[in-house]
Amino acid sequence: MSVYLHHEDLPQGVLADGPVAVDTETMGLITPRDRLCLLQISDGGGDEHLVKFGVNSDYAAPNLRAILADPNRVKLYHFARFDLAAIEHYIGVTAAPIFCTKIASKLTRTYTDRHGLKELVREMLGSEISKQQQSSDWGAPELSSAQQDYAASDVRFLHKLQALFVERLEREGRSEIAQACFDFLPHRAKLDLMGWDENDIFSHMS
Ligand code: MN
């Protein structure tokens, strides 16, 4: 169970087949302005891989790109909308098919409005993750061990959460609508990048 830090790309052959958990860290919340600094990826086997991009990166990352673009590999995210936009904008691939634990949570845990990853991991898996490093300088030339641990923990639990949410969605009869939401996410991310991020085109309001 280790955390591996790589630069500019993932080495070949470090991930087993099957779904991969994916997360990103950026310089901020405005995707075209705030560059992609780190992409975390895990096959659920216990290791996490962090791919760090330098300030002048060309984001070529051929090994990573192949995995993200692979239509046979489901990508697990927590709040996929943000990560998809960052990956689309910087790496230039649509990282689908998708399972988003935040959407699954909103569709099943209707008894609460707390859908953060920390809360899901606590309630559903009985583990604790720290969010202390969330707002830190991900563009720093060297990432601290606290940053690396935090970044890795954001992909560490997504496979287990997915398995539980598949059951919950099934139980509540919401698997089909969840899948439809997941399938729409790449378009939702593109709308964000096109400027329809705050303005909800489904809303009656202007
Ligand atoms: Mn994160």
Side-chain angles (χ1 to χ4, degrees), residues 2-187:
S2 303
V3 179
Y4 297 93
L5 179 63
H6 312 287
H7 293 274
E8 299 298 328
D9 199 5
L10 196 65
Q12 224 161 9
V14 296
L15 299 175
D17 288 343
V20 283
V22 177
D23 187 39
T24 60
E25 305 301 334
T26 66
M27 286 303 288
L29 297 179
I30 302 175
T31 299
R33 184 191 70 182
D34 302 328
R35 69 185 167 90
L36 173 64
C37 299
L38 193 72
L39 187 144
Q40 305 99 284
I41 193 163
S42 171
D43 60 15
D47 293 335
E48 292 92 27
H49 295 271
L50 316 180
V51 181
K52 189 176 191 308
F53 296 102
V55 67
N56 292 314
S57 180
D58 62 1
Y59 298 99
N63 297 332
L64 183 58
R65 189 182 293 257
I67 287 164
L68 294 175
D70 184 350
N72 295 312
R73 234 195 232 273
V74 174
K75 266 65 75 174
L76 317 177
Y77 305 87
H78 184 75
F79 197 51
R81 177 176 171 181
F82 181 82
D83 302 303
L84 282 168
I87 293 167
E88 183 83 45
H89 184 77
Y90 289 96
I91 306 183
V93 298
T94 301
I98 293 152
F99 188 100
C100 177
T101 52
K102 189 159 196 145
I103 287 175
S105 179
K106 287 186 173 181
L107 287 173
T108 54
R109 294 172 66 256
T110 41
Y111 49 82
T112 178
D113 59 0
R114 301 189 65 184
H115 302 288
L117 181 61
K118 187 181 168 73
E119 185 65 23
L120 298 188
V121 167
R122 179 188 290 146
E123 182 191 298
M124 301 178 76
L125 302 173
S127 296
E128 289 294 328
I129 55 173
S130 167
K131 279 276 161 192
Q132 218 165 12
Q133 297 295 319
Q134 184 164 36
S135 309
S136 66
D137 180 11
W138 294 102
E142 304 281 341
L143 296 180
S144 68
S145 58
Q147 282 181 307
Q148 293 184 41
D149 281 349
Y150 162 74
S153 73
D154 270 355
V155 289
R156 187 168 295 149
F157 298 98
L158 297 183
H159 287 78
K160 284 183 182 146
L161 287 175
Q162 183 210 20
L164 294 173
F165 276 126
V166 164
E167 288 174 18
R168 291 269 188 119
L169 286 163
E170 204 56 46
R171 188 187 82 191
E172 299 301 324
R174 293 184 186 153
S175 303
E176 201 178 316
I177 193 69
Q179 190 58 53
C181 293
F182 301 155
D183 292 343
F184 180 68
L185 275 164
H187 310 289

